[in-house]
Coordinates of all heavy atoms in Angstrom, one line a residue:
M1439 N -13.2 6.6 7.9 CA -12.4 5.6 7.4 C -11.1 5.5 8.3 O -10.5 6.5 8.6 CB -12.0 5.8 5.9 CG -10.9 4.8 5.4 SD -10.2 5.2 3.8 CE -11.6 5.1 2.8
D1440 N -10.8 4.3 8.6 CA -9.6 4.0 9.4 C -8.4 3.9 8.4 O -8.3 2.9 7.8 CB -9.8 2.8 10.2 CG -8.6 2.5 11.1 OD1 -7.6 3.2 11.1 OD2 -8.7 1.5 11.9
I1441 N -7.6 4.9 8.3 CA -6.5 5.0 7.4 C -5.5 3.9 7.6 O -5.1 3.2 6.7 CB -5.9 6.4 7.3 CG1 -6.9 7.4 6.7 CG2 -4.6 6.3 6.5 CD1 -6.4 8.8 6.6
K1442 N -5.2 3.7 8.9 CA -4.2 2.6 9.2 C -4.7 1.3 8.8 O -3.9 0.5 8.2 CB -3.9 2.6 10.7 CG -2.8 1.6 11.1 CD -2.5 1.6 12.6 CE -1.5 0.6 13.0 NZ -1.4 -0.7 12.3
A1443 N -5.9 1.0 9.0 CA -6.5 -0.3 8.6 C -6.5 -0.5 7.1 O -6.2 -1.5 6.6 CB -7.9 -0.5 9.2
K1444 N -6.8 0.6 6.4 CA -6.8 0.6 4.9 C -5.4 0.4 4.4 O -5.2 -0.4 3.5 CB -7.4 1.9 4.4 CG -7.8 1.8 2.9 CD -8.6 0.7 2.5 CE -10.0 0.7 3.1 NZ -10.9 -0.4 2.6
I1445 N -4.4 1.0 5.0 CA -3.0 0.8 4.6 C -2.6 -0.6 4.8 O -2.0 -1.3 3.9 CB -2.1 1.8 5.4 CG1 -2.3 3.2 5.0 CG2 -0.6 1.3 5.3 CD1 -1.6 4.2 5.9
D1446 N -3.0 -1.2 6.0 CA -2.6 -2.6 6.3 C -3.3 -3.5 5.2 O -2.7 -4.5 4.8 CB -3.0 -3.0 7.7 CG -2.2 -2.3 8.7 OD1 -1.1 -1.8 8.4 OD2 -2.6 -2.3 9.9
E1447 N -4.5 -3.3 4.9 CA -5.2 -4.1 3.9 C -4.5 -4.0 2.6 O -4.3 -5.1 1.9 CB -6.7 -3.6 3.8 CG -7.5 -4.3 2.7 CD -8.8 -3.6 2.4 OE1 -9.2 -2.7 3.1 OE2 -9.4 -4.0 1.4
I1448 N -4.2 -2.8 2.1 CA -3.5 -2.7 0.8 C -2.2 -3.3 0.8 O -1.8 -4.0 -0.2 CB -3.5 -1.2 0.4 CG1 -5.0 -0.7 0.2 CG2 -2.7 -1.0 -0.9 CD1 -5.1 0.8 0.1
V1449 N -1.4 -3.1 1.9 CA -0.1 -3.7 2.0 C -0.2 -5.2 1.8 O 0.6 -5.8 1.1 CB 0.6 -3.3 3.3 CG1 1.9 -4.2 3.5 CG2 1.0 -1.9 3.3
T1450 N -1.1 -5.8 2.5 CA -1.3 -7.3 2.4 C -1.6 -7.7 1.0 O -1.0 -8.7 0.5 CB -2.4 -7.7 3.4 OG1 -2.1 -7.4 4.7 CG2 -2.7 -9.2 3.3
K1451 N -2.4 -7.0 0.3 CA -2.8 -7.3 -1.1 C -1.6 -7.1 -2.0 O -1.3 -7.9 -2.9 CB -4.0 -6.5 -1.5 CG -5.3 -6.9 -0.8 CD -6.5 -6.1 -1.3 CE -7.7 -6.6 -0.6 NZ -8.9 -6.1 -1.1
V1452 N -0.9 -6.0 -1.8 CA 0.3 -5.7 -2.7 C 1.4 -6.8 -2.5 O 2.0 -7.2 -3.5 CB 0.9 -4.3 -2.3 CG1 2.3 -4.1 -3.0 CG2 -0.1 -3.2 -2.8
K1453 N 1.6 -7.2 -1.2 CA 2.6 -8.2 -1.0 C 2.2 -9.6 -1.4 O 3.1 -10.5 -1.7 CB 3.0 -8.2 0.5 CG 3.7 -6.9 0.9 CD 3.9 -6.8 2.4 CE 4.9 -7.7 2.8 NZ 5.2 -7.6 4.3
S1454 N 0.9 -9.9 -1.5 CA 0.5 -11.3 -1.8 C 0.1 -11.5 -3.2 O -0.1 -12.6 -3.6 CB -0.7 -11.7 -0.9 OG -1.8 -10.9 -1.1
D1455 N -0.1 -10.4 -4.0 CA -0.5 -10.6 -5.4 C 0.4 -9.7 -6.3 O 0.4 -8.5 -6.2 CB -2.0 -10.1 -5.5 CG -2.6 -10.4 -6.8 OD1 -2.0 -10.1 -7.8 OD2 -3.8 -10.7 -6.8
K1456 N 1.1 -10.4 -7.2 CA 2.0 -9.7 -8.1 C 1.3 -8.8 -9.0 O 1.8 -7.7 -9.4 CB 2.8 -10.8 -8.9 CG 3.8 -11.5 -8.1 CD 4.6 -12.5 -8.9 CE 5.5 -13.3 -8.1 NZ 6.2 -14.3 -8.8
D1457 N 0.1 -9.1 -9.5 CA -0.7 -8.2 -10.3 C -1.0 -6.9 -9.6 O -0.9 -5.8 -10.2 CB -1.9 -8.9 -10.9 CG -1.6 -10.0 -11.9 OD1 -0.6 -9.9 -12.5 OD2 -2.4 -10.9 -12.0
I1458 N -1.5 -7.0 -8.4 CA -1.8 -5.8 -7.6 C -0.5 -5.0 -7.3 O -0.6 -3.8 -7.4 CB -2.5 -6.2 -6.3 CG1 -3.9 -6.8 -6.6 CG2 -2.6 -5.0 -5.3 CD1 -4.7 -7.3 -5.4
A1459 N 0.6 -5.7 -7.0 CA 1.8 -5.0 -6.8 C 2.2 -4.2 -8.1 O 2.7 -3.0 -8.0 CB 2.9 -5.9 -6.4
K1460 N 2.1 -4.8 -9.2 CA 2.4 -4.1 -10.5 C 1.5 -2.9 -10.7 O 1.9 -1.8 -11.1 CB 2.2 -5.1 -11.7 CG 2.6 -4.5 -13.0 CD 2.4 -5.5 -14.1 CE 2.6 -4.8 -15.4 NZ 2.2 -5.7 -16.6
K1461 N 0.2 -3.1 -10.4 CA -0.8 -2.0 -10.6 C -0.4 -0.9 -9.6 O -0.5 0.3 -9.9 CB -2.2 -2.5 -10.4 CG -2.7 -3.3 -11.5 CD -4.1 -3.8 -11.2 CE -4.5 -4.8 -12.3 NZ -5.9 -5.4 -12.0
F1462 N 0.0 -1.2 -8.4 CA 0.4 -0.2 -7.4 C 1.6 0.6 -7.9 O 1.6 1.8 -7.7 CB 0.7 -0.8 -6.0 CG 1.0 0.2 -5.0 CD1 -0.1 0.9 -4.4 CD2 2.3 0.4 -4.5 CE1 0.2 1.9 -3.4 CE2 2.5 1.3 -3.6 CZ 1.5 2.1 -3.0
K1463 N 2.6 -0.1 -8.5 CA 3.7 0.6 -9.0 C 3.4 1.5 -10.1 O 3.9 2.6 -10.2 CB 4.8 -0.4 -9.4 CG 5.5 -1.1 -8.3 CD 6.6 -2.0 -8.8 CE 7.2 -2.7 -7.6 NZ 8.2 -3.7 -8.1
E1464 N 2.5 1.1 -11.0 CA 2.1 1.9 -12.2 C 1.2 3.1 -11.8 O 1.4 4.1 -12.4 CB 1.3 1.0 -13.2 CG 2.2 -0.1 -13.8 CD 1.4 -1.1 -14.6 OE1 0.2 -1.1 -14.6 OE2 2.1 -1.9 -15.2
N1465 N 0.2 2.9 -10.9 CA -0.7 3.9 -10.6 C -1.2 3.7 -9.2 O -2.4 3.2 -9.0 CB -1.8 4.0 -11.6 CG -2.7 5.2 -11.5 OD1 -2.6 5.9 -10.5 ND2 -3.5 5.5 -12.5
P1466 N -0.5 4.1 -8.2 CA -0.9 3.8 -6.8 C -2.2 4.5 -6.4 O -3.0 3.9 -5.7 CB 0.3 4.3 -6.0 CG 1.1 5.2 -6.8 CD 0.8 4.8 -8.2
V1467 N -2.5 5.7 -6.9 CA -3.7 6.4 -6.5 C -4.9 5.6 -7.0 O -5.9 5.4 -6.3 CB -3.7 7.8 -7.1 CG1 -5.0 8.5 -6.9 CG2 -2.6 8.6 -6.4
K1468 N -4.9 5.2 -8.3 CA -6.0 4.4 -8.8 C -6.2 3.1 -8.1 O -7.3 2.8 -7.8 CB -5.8 4.2 -10.3 CG -7.0 3.4 -10.9 CD -7.0 3.4 -12.4 CE -8.1 2.6 -13.1 NZ -9.1 2.1 -12.3
L1469 N -5.1 2.4 -7.8 CA -5.3 1.1 -7.1 C -5.9 1.4 -5.7 O -6.8 0.6 -5.3 CB -3.9 0.4 -6.9 CG -4.1 -0.9 -6.2 CD1 -4.6 -2.0 -7.1 CD2 -2.7 -1.3 -5.6
V1470 N -5.4 2.4 -5.0 CA -6.0 2.6 -3.7 C -7.5 3.0 -3.8 O -8.3 2.5 -3.0 CB -5.2 3.8 -2.9 CG1 -5.9 4.3 -1.7 CG2 -3.8 3.3 -2.6
E1471 N -7.8 3.8 -4.7 CA -9.3 4.1 -4.9 C -10.1 2.9 -5.3 O -11.2 2.7 -4.7 CB -9.4 5.2 -6.0 CG -9.0 6.6 -5.5 CD -9.2 7.6 -6.6 OE1 -9.2 7.3 -7.8 OE2 -9.2 8.8 -6.2
D1472 N -9.5 2.0 -6.1 CA -10.2 0.8 -6.5 C -10.4 -0.1 -5.3 O -11.5 -0.7 -5.1 CB -9.5 0.0 -7.6 CG -9.5 0.7 -8.9 OD1 -10.3 1.7 -9.1 OD2 -8.7 0.3 -9.8
I1473 N -9.4 -0.3 -4.5 CA -9.5 -1.2 -3.3 C -10.4 -0.5 -2.2 O -11.2 -1.2 -1.6 CB -8.1 -1.5 -2.7 CG1 -7.4 -2.4 -3.7 CG2 -8.2 -2.1 -1.3 CD1 -5.9 -2.7 -3.3
A1474 N -10.3 0.8 -2.1 CA -11.2 1.4 -1.1 C -12.6 1.4 -1.5 O -13.5 1.5 -0.7 CB -10.7 2.9 -0.9
G1475 N -12.8 1.4 -2.8 CA -14.2 1.4 -3.3 C -14.9 2.7 -3.3 O -16.1 2.8 -3.6
V1476 N -14.1 3.8 -3.1 CA -14.7 5.1 -3.1 C -13.7 6.1 -3.7 O -12.5 5.8 -3.7 CB -15.1 5.6 -1.7 CG1 -16.2 4.8 -1.1 CG2 -13.9 5.6 -0.7
D1477 N -14.2 7.2 -4.1 CA -13.3 8.3 -4.6 C -13.0 9.2 -3.4 O -13.8 9.9 -2.9 CB -14.0 9.1 -5.7 CG -13.1 10.1 -6.4 OD1 -11.8 10.0 -6.2 OD2 -13.6 11.1 -7.0
L1478 N -11.7 9.1 -3.0 CA -11.3 9.8 -1.8 C -10.7 11.2 -2.1 O -10.1 11.3 -3.2 CB -10.3 9.0 -1.0 CG -10.8 7.7 -0.4 CD1 -9.7 6.8 0.1 CD2 -11.9 7.9 0.6
P1479 N -10.7 12.1 -1.2 CA -10.0 13.4 -1.5 C -8.5 13.1 -1.6 O -8.0 12.2 -1.0 CB -10.3 14.2 -0.2 CG -11.4 13.5 0.5 CD -11.4 12.1 0.1
D1480 N -7.8 14.0 -2.4 CA -6.4 13.8 -2.7 C -5.6 13.6 -1.4 O -4.7 12.8 -1.3 CB -5.9 14.9 -3.5 CG -6.4 14.9 -4.9 OD1 -6.9 13.8 -5.3 OD2 -6.3 15.9 -5.6
G1481 N -5.9 14.4 -0.4 CA -5.1 14.4 0.9 C -5.2 13.0 1.5 O -4.2 12.5 2.0
A1482 N -6.4 12.4 1.5 CA -6.5 11.0 2.1 C -5.8 10.0 1.3 O -5.1 9.1 1.8 CB -8.0 10.7 2.3
I1483 N -6.0 10.1 0.0 CA -5.3 9.1 -0.9 C -3.8 9.2 -0.8 O -3.1 8.2 -0.7 CB -5.7 9.4 -2.4 CG1 -7.1 9.0 -2.7 CG2 -4.7 8.7 -3.4 CD1 -7.4 7.5 -2.7
D1484 N -3.3 10.4 -0.7 CA -1.8 10.6 -0.6 C -1.3 10.0 0.7 O -0.2 9.4 0.7 CB -1.4 12.1 -0.6 CG -1.7 12.7 -2.0 OD1 -1.8 12.0 -3.0 OD2 -1.8 14.0 -2.1
K1485 N -2.0 10.2 1.8 CA -1.6 9.6 3.1 C -1.6 8.0 3.0 O -0.7 7.4 3.5 CB -2.5 10.0 4.2 CG -2.4 11.4 4.6 CD -3.3 11.8 5.7 CE -3.3 13.2 6.1 NZ -4.3 13.6 7.1
I1486 N -2.6 7.5 2.3 CA -2.7 6.0 2.2 C -1.5 5.5 1.3 O -0.8 4.6 1.7 CB -4.0 5.6 1.7 CG1 -5.1 5.9 2.8 CG2 -4.0 4.1 1.4 CD1 -6.5 5.7 2.3
V1487 N -1.3 6.2 0.2 CA -0.3 5.7 -0.8 C 1.1 5.8 -0.1 O 1.9 4.9 -0.2 CB -0.3 6.6 -2.1 CG1 0.9 6.4 -2.9 CG2 -1.6 6.3 -2.9
D1488 N 1.3 6.9 0.6 CA 2.6 7.1 1.3 C 2.8 6.0 2.4 O 3.9 5.5 2.6 CB 2.7 8.5 1.9 CG 2.9 9.6 0.9 OD1 3.2 9.3 -0.3 OD2 2.7 10.8 1.2
G1489 N 1.7 5.8 3.1 CA 1.8 4.7 4.1 C 2.1 3.4 3.6 O 2.9 2.6 4.1
V1490 N 1.4 3.0 2.5 CA 1.7 1.7 1.8 C 3.1 1.6 1.3 O 3.8 0.6 1.6 CB 0.7 1.5 0.7 CG1 1.0 0.2 -0.1 CG2 -0.8 1.3 1.2
K1491 N 3.6 2.7 0.7 CA 4.9 2.7 0.2 C 5.9 2.5 1.3 O 6.9 1.7 1.2 CB 5.2 4.0 -0.6 CG 4.6 4.0 -1.9 CD 4.9 5.4 -2.6 CE 4.3 5.5 -4.0 NZ 4.6 6.8 -4.6
A1492 N 5.7 3.2 2.4 CA 6.6 3.1 3.5 C 6.6 1.7 4.1 O 7.7 1.1 4.4 CB 6.3 4.2 4.6
K1493 N 5.4 1.2 4.3 CA 5.3 -0.1 5.0 C 5.9 -1.2 4.1 O 6.6 -2.1 4.6 CB 3.9 -0.4 5.3 CG 3.7 -1.7 6.1 CD 2.6 -1.5 7.1 CE 2.4 -2.8 7.9 NZ 3.4 -3.0 8.9
V1494 N 5.6 -1.2 2.8 CA 6.2 -2.2 1.9 C 7.7 -2.1 1.9 O 8.4 -3.1 1.9 CB 5.6 -2.0 0.5 CG1 6.4 -2.9 -0.6 CG2 4.1 -2.4 0.4
S1495 N 8.2 -0.9 1.9 CA 9.7 -0.7 1.9 C 10.3 -1.2 3.2 O 11.3 -1.9 3.2 CB 10.1 0.8 1.7 OG 9.7 1.2 0.4
L1496 N 9.7 -0.8 4.3 CA 10.2 -1.3 5.6 C 10.1 -2.8 5.7 O 11.0 -3.4 6.3 CB 9.5 -0.6 6.7 CG 9.9 0.9 7.0 CD1 9.0 1.5 8.1 CD2 11.3 1.0 7.3
D1497 N 9.0 -3.4 5.3 CA 8.9 -4.8 5.4 C 9.9 -5.5 4.5 O 10.5 -6.5 4.9 CB 7.5 -5.2 5.0 CG 6.4 -4.9 6.0 OD1 6.8 -4.5 7.2 OD2 5.3 -5.0 5.7
G1498 N 10.2 -5.0 3.4 CA 11.2 -5.5 2.5 C 12.6 -5.5 3.1 O 13.4 -6.4 3.1
I1499 N 12.9 -4.3 3.7 CA 14.2 -4.2 4.4 C 14.3 -5.1 5.6 O 15.3 -5.8 5.8 CB 14.4 -2.7 4.9 CG1 14.6 -1.8 3.7 CG2 15.6 -2.6 5.8 CD1 14.6 -0.3 4.0
S1500 N 13.2 -5.2 6.3 CA 13.2 -6.1 7.5 C 13.5 -7.5 7.2 O 14.3 -8.2 7.8 CB 11.9 -6.0 8.2 OG 11.8 -6.8 9.3
S1501 N 12.8 -8.0 6.1 CA 13.0 -9.4 5.7 C 14.5 -9.7 5.2 O 15.0 -10.7 5.5 CB 12.0 -9.8 4.7 OG 12.2 -9.2 3.5
K1502 N 15.1 -8.7 4.6 CA 16.4 -8.8 4.1 C 17.4 -8.8 5.2 O 18.5 -9.4 5.1 CB 16.7 -7.7 3.1 CG 16.0 -7.9 1.8 CD 16.3 -6.8 0.8 CE 15.4 -7.0 -0.4 NZ 15.4 -5.8 -1.3
L1503 N 17.1 -8.2 6.4 CA 18.0 -8.1 7.5 C 17.7 -9.1 8.6 O 18.1 -8.9 9.7 CB 18.0 -6.7 8.1 CG 18.6 -5.6 7.1 CD1 18.4 -4.2 7.8 CD2 20.0 -5.9 6.7
G1504 N 17.0 -10.1 8.2 CA 16.7 -11.2 9.2 C 15.7 -10.8 10.3 O 15.8 -11.3 11.4
G1505 N 14.8 -9.9 10.0 CA 13.8 -9.5 11.0 C 14.3 -8.5 12.0 O 13.7 -8.3 13.1
L1506 N 15.4 -7.8 11.8 CA 16.0 -6.9 12.8 C 15.0 -5.8 13.2 O 14.9 -5.4 14.3 CB 17.2 -6.3 12.2 CG 18.0 -5.3 13.0 CD1 18.5 -6.0 14.3 CD2 19.1 -4.6 12.3
F1507 N 14.1 -5.4 12.3 CA 13.2 -4.3 12.5 C 11.8 -4.7 13.0 O 11.0 -3.9 13.1 CB 13.1 -3.4 11.3 CG 14.4 -2.7 10.9 CD1 15.1 -3.1 9.8 CD2 14.9 -1.7 11.7 CE1 16.3 -2.5 9.5 CE2 16.1 -1.1 11.4 CZ 16.8 -1.5 10.3
K1508 N 11.6 -5.9 13.2 CA 10.3 -6.4 13.6 C 10.1 -6.2 15.1 O 10.9 -6.2 15.9 CB 10.1 -7.9 13.3 CG 9.9 -8.0 11.8 CD 9.5 -9.4 11.5 CE 9.2 -9.5 10.0 NZ 8.8 -10.8 9.6

């Protein structure tokens, strides 16, 4: 599994769908497993969840600062 590609896929879904964003905030591990369609080892899930959280946070900061970090 390409973890970076999976992170990008989940970030896109979280940013474009309020229901998915809410589910991610409530239970990020379950949402990642649901989107991935497989039960992943905890280490892989943790990396994906952390990557999504970081990317969503950085994208939010970037848009607030006029794209300074793009």
Side-chain angles (χ1 to χ4, degrees):
M1439 173 189 297
D1440 183 355
I1441 291 179
K1442 183 182 180 323
K1444 193 53 65 177
I1445 289 170
D1446 291 341
E1447 174 189 352
I1448 295 168
V1449 166
T1450 300
K1451 289 181 180 189
V1452 167
K1453 291 173 72 177
S1454 65
D1455 187 318
K1456 290 180 183 179
D1457 290 333
I1458 290 176
K1460 181 181 176 191
K1461 289 177 184 177
F1462 183 76
K1463 286 181 182 179
E1464 292 171 354
N1465 191 344
V1467 172
K1468 179 163 179 9
L1469 179 78
V1470 168
E1471 287 180 337
D1472 289 348
I1473 290 175
V1476 294
D1477 186 20
L1478 298 170
D1480 289 344
I1483 288 289
D1484 292 340
K1485 288 179 185 177
I1486 294 172
V1487 168
D1488 290 344
V1490 171
K1491 285 180 180 178
K1493 186 144 180 73
V1494 168
S1495 294
L1496 285 177
D1497 287 350
I1499 290 169
S1500 175
S1501 67
K1502 289 177 184 171
L1503 296 177
L1506 182 63
F1507 295 108
K1508 287 187 176 184

